[in-house]
Amino acid sequence: MLHLSWEMMVFVIVGGFLAAYVDSVVGGGGLIALPLLLATGLPPAVALGTNKLAGTMSSLTSTISFMRSGNVDLKAVRGLFILSLLGAVCGTTVLRQIPSDFLKPLVVVMLILIAIYTIFRKNWGDRSTFHQYSTKTAALMGCAAFGLGFYDGFFGPGTGSFLIFVFLMLGFDFVKAAGNAKVLNFGSNVASLVTFMALGSIHYGIGIPMGLAMVCGSLLGSRMAIRKGTAYVRPLFLTVCVLLISKQIWDFL
């Protein structure tokens, strides 16, 4: 087992707090957390599993915060949670057989389109217009929940942003879209975490302290989003999209 110096552990804890602050609202915390874990010397597979442990702790915290504030539409996400979880199980299983790197160019294109669309629809997500699912939208959302759960288990980057975009398309405002997205993202995180635990690919001595720091960051970030609303979430969403695009292009090149 890898043992860290106290300086490196402080670095991981602070980084985890910052990662969770962003991730609690619009996702993308892995942009900070995963490189930190790799910098400690953990093998990539163990770093991914350790990040999933800490990230699931963070995701649970922000999900509870959004639910307690009334910014989750339980009727809209109740059935989708199971589909997201099942999708992630399938995605993680397939990942063990097929490399996921071929998705990087497609993800970059999709994130660019989402960012452009959000920029030009200036008042998009300011208020909620969603009332209930039609048969068609229910079927489409079921496919989206399963598909994005699969994507999260198979590849991962941008899952939170994609989920928020889907809920915005349904007519939710930015804050409720973020809250709904966190519930589904938590489902896919749990499925992936169980898989990593079964494979023994988690360093608990690093993951638990980092996870506790991420719980604190998640609490602060989600409360800030709930208090400040769309004026805060929208620019943060666009910033994370740009960072994800840059990261994927860098990796691809």
Side-chain angles (χ1 to χ4, degrees), residues 2 8 34 37 70 72 75 88 106 114-115 136 153 176 188-189 201 213 223 227 230 240 249:
L2 178 70
M8 181 58 79
L34 190 55
L37 290 169
V72 172
K75 289 183 179 179
L106 178 61
I114 286 174
K136 181 180 179 180
K176 279 207 168 181
S188 61
N189 280 343
S201 297
R223 288 178 180 176
R227 187 167 69 248
T230 298
V240 169
I249 291 175

Short mmCIF file of all heavy atoms in Angstrom, two decimals, residues 2 8 34 37 70 72 75 88 106 114-115 136 153 176 188-189 201 213 223 227 230 240 249:
data_model
loop_
_atom_site.label_atom_id
_atom_site.label_comp_id
_atom_site.label_asym_id
_atom_site.label_seq_id
_atom_site.Cartn_x
_atom_site.Cartn_y
_atom_site.Cartn_z
N LEU A 2 0.48 2.21 -0.83
CA LEU A 2 1.20 3.46 -0.92
C LEU A 2 0.93 4.32 0.31
O LEU A 2 -0.22 4.46 0.73
CB LEU A 2 0.76 4.21 -2.18
CG LEU A 2 1.37 5.59 -2.43
CD1 LEU A 2 2.84 5.46 -2.79
CD2 LEU A 2 0.62 6.29 -3.56
N MET A 8 1.75 15.78 1.03
CA MET A 8 0.98 15.30 -0.12
C MET A 8 -0.47 15.03 0.27
O MET A 8 -1.39 15.29 -0.50
CB MET A 8 1.62 14.04 -0.69
CG MET A 8 0.90 13.46 -1.91
SD MET A 8 0.76 14.63 -3.29
CE MET A 8 2.42 14.50 -3.99
N LEU A 34 -8.68 13.55 -10.23
CA LEU A 34 -7.95 12.42 -10.80
C LEU A 34 -6.46 12.73 -11.03
O LEU A 34 -5.60 11.92 -10.66
CB LEU A 34 -8.61 11.96 -12.09
CG LEU A 34 -8.08 10.65 -12.67
CD1 LEU A 34 -8.17 9.52 -11.65
CD2 LEU A 34 -8.85 10.28 -13.94
N LEU A 37 -4.66 12.43 -7.73
CA LEU A 37 -4.44 11.06 -7.29
C LEU A 37 -3.33 10.38 -8.09
O LEU A 37 -2.53 9.62 -7.53
CB LEU A 37 -5.75 10.26 -7.41
CG LEU A 37 -6.83 10.67 -6.41
CD1 LEU A 37 -8.16 10.03 -6.76
CD2 LEU A 37 -6.42 10.29 -4.98
N GLY A 70 -35.53 21.33 -2.08
CA GLY A 70 -36.65 21.27 -3.01
C GLY A 70 -36.25 21.45 -4.46
O GLY A 70 -37.12 21.69 -5.31
N VAL A 72 -34.98 19.20 -6.52
CA VAL A 72 -35.00 17.94 -7.26
C VAL A 72 -36.46 17.59 -7.51
O VAL A 72 -37.28 17.60 -6.59
CB VAL A 72 -34.32 16.80 -6.47
CG1 VAL A 72 -34.52 15.46 -7.19
CG2 VAL A 72 -32.83 17.08 -6.30
N LYS A 75 -40.54 13.14 -8.94
CA LYS A 75 -41.34 12.41 -9.92
C LYS A 75 -40.60 12.25 -11.24
O LYS A 75 -40.72 11.24 -11.92
CB LYS A 75 -42.67 13.14 -10.15
CG LYS A 75 -43.63 13.07 -8.97
CD LYS A 75 -44.94 13.76 -9.31
CE LYS A 75 -45.91 13.67 -8.13
NZ LYS A 75 -47.20 14.35 -8.44
N ALA A 88 -24.79 2.24 -15.92
CA ALA A 88 -23.40 2.30 -15.46
C ALA A 88 -22.82 0.91 -15.24
O ALA A 88 -21.63 0.68 -15.52
CB ALA A 88 -23.32 3.11 -14.16
N LEU A 106 -15.60 12.44 -30.21
CA LEU A 106 -17.04 12.65 -30.18
C LEU A 106 -17.46 13.49 -28.98
O LEU A 106 -18.31 14.38 -29.09
CB LEU A 106 -17.76 11.29 -30.15
CG LEU A 106 -19.29 11.33 -30.07
CD1 LEU A 106 -19.87 12.05 -31.29
CD2 LEU A 106 -19.86 9.92 -29.95
N ILE A 114 -22.86 21.89 -27.07
CA ILE A 114 -23.61 22.26 -25.86
C ILE A 114 -23.23 23.66 -25.39
O ILE A 114 -24.09 24.48 -25.05
CB ILE A 114 -23.35 21.23 -24.74
CG1 ILE A 114 -24.11 19.93 -25.04
CG2 ILE A 114 -23.76 21.78 -23.38
CD1 ILE A 114 -23.81 18.80 -24.08
N ALA A 115 -21.92 23.95 -25.37
CA ALA A 115 -21.45 25.27 -24.93
C ALA A 115 -21.98 26.37 -25.85
O ALA A 115 -22.47 27.41 -25.38
CB ALA A 115 -19.93 25.30 -24.88
N LYS A 136 -43.79 10.34 -25.12
CA LYS A 136 -42.58 10.45 -25.94
C LYS A 136 -41.39 10.93 -25.11
O LYS A 136 -40.30 10.33 -25.18
CB LYS A 136 -42.83 11.42 -27.09
CG LYS A 136 -41.63 11.60 -28.01
CD LYS A 136 -41.96 12.58 -29.14
CE LYS A 136 -40.75 12.78 -30.05
NZ LYS A 136 -41.04 13.73 -31.16
N GLY A 153 -20.13 4.92 -16.82
CA GLY A 153 -19.40 3.71 -16.44
C GLY A 153 -18.32 3.36 -17.43
O GLY A 153 -17.29 2.80 -17.06
N LYS A 176 -32.60 23.45 -10.85
CA LYS A 176 -33.30 22.16 -10.78
C LYS A 176 -32.69 21.14 -11.74
O LYS A 176 -32.65 19.95 -11.46
CB LYS A 176 -34.79 22.34 -11.06
CG LYS A 176 -35.57 22.82 -9.85
CD LYS A 176 -37.02 22.39 -9.92
CE LYS A 176 -37.69 22.64 -8.57
NZ LYS A 176 -39.10 22.22 -8.56
N SER A 188 -25.21 6.35 -11.11
CA SER A 188 -24.14 5.75 -11.93
C SER A 188 -22.84 5.65 -11.14
O SER A 188 -22.07 4.69 -11.32
CB SER A 188 -23.93 6.58 -13.20
OG SER A 188 -23.55 7.91 -12.93
N ASN A 189 -22.59 6.59 -10.24
CA ASN A 189 -21.39 6.52 -9.40
C ASN A 189 -21.41 5.29 -8.49
O ASN A 189 -20.40 4.62 -8.31
CB ASN A 189 -21.27 7.79 -8.54
CG ASN A 189 -20.70 8.96 -9.29
OD1 ASN A 189 -20.10 8.80 -10.35
ND2 ASN A 189 -20.90 10.15 -8.77
N SER A 201 -9.75 -2.24 -6.52
CA SER A 201 -9.01 -1.12 -7.13
C SER A 201 -9.27 0.20 -6.41
O SER A 201 -9.52 1.23 -7.05
CB SER A 201 -9.39 -1.00 -8.61
OG SER A 201 -9.02 -2.15 -9.32
N ALA A 213 -13.12 15.40 2.72
CA ALA A 213 -12.89 16.77 2.26
C ALA A 213 -13.87 17.13 1.14
O ALA A 213 -14.38 18.26 1.08
CB ALA A 213 -11.45 16.92 1.77
N ARG A 223 -24.82 24.49 -1.65
CA ARG A 223 -25.54 25.57 -0.96
C ARG A 223 -25.37 26.90 -1.67
O ARG A 223 -26.30 27.70 -1.75
CB ARG A 223 -25.07 25.66 0.50
CG ARG A 223 -25.57 24.50 1.36
CD ARG A 223 -25.06 24.59 2.78
NE ARG A 223 -25.54 23.47 3.58
CZ ARG A 223 -25.20 23.26 4.85
NH1 ARG A 223 -24.36 24.10 5.46
NH2 ARG A 223 -25.69 22.23 5.51
N ARG A 227 -28.45 29.05 -3.24
CA ARG A 227 -28.67 30.41 -2.78
C ARG A 227 -28.59 31.43 -3.91
O ARG A 227 -29.42 32.34 -4.01
CB ARG A 227 -27.67 30.76 -1.69
CG ARG A 227 -27.94 32.12 -1.03
CD ARG A 227 -27.15 32.32 0.24
NE ARG A 227 -25.73 32.46 -0.01
CZ ARG A 227 -24.81 31.57 0.35
NH1 ARG A 227 -25.19 30.45 0.95
NH2 ARG A 227 -23.54 31.76 0.11
N THR A 230 -29.53 30.63 -10.88
CA THR A 230 -29.07 30.51 -12.27
C THR A 230 -27.90 31.44 -12.59
O THR A 230 -27.00 31.08 -13.36
CB THR A 230 -30.24 30.80 -13.23
OG1 THR A 230 -31.26 29.81 -13.01
CG2 THR A 230 -29.80 30.75 -14.68
N VAL A 240 -16.99 24.89 -16.93
CA VAL A 240 -16.63 23.47 -16.86
C VAL A 240 -16.67 22.84 -18.24
O VAL A 240 -15.81 22.01 -18.59
CB VAL A 240 -17.57 22.73 -15.89
CG1 VAL A 240 -17.40 21.22 -16.00
CG2 VAL A 240 -17.28 23.17 -14.45
N ILE A 249 -9.18 17.63 -25.66
CA ILE A 249 -8.32 17.95 -26.81
C ILE A 249 -6.85 17.71 -26.47
O ILE A 249 -6.09 17.13 -27.25
CB ILE A 249 -8.54 19.41 -27.28
CG1 ILE A 249 -9.93 19.55 -27.89
CG2 ILE A 249 -7.47 19.82 -28.29
CD1 ILE A 249 -10.28 20.97 -28.26
#
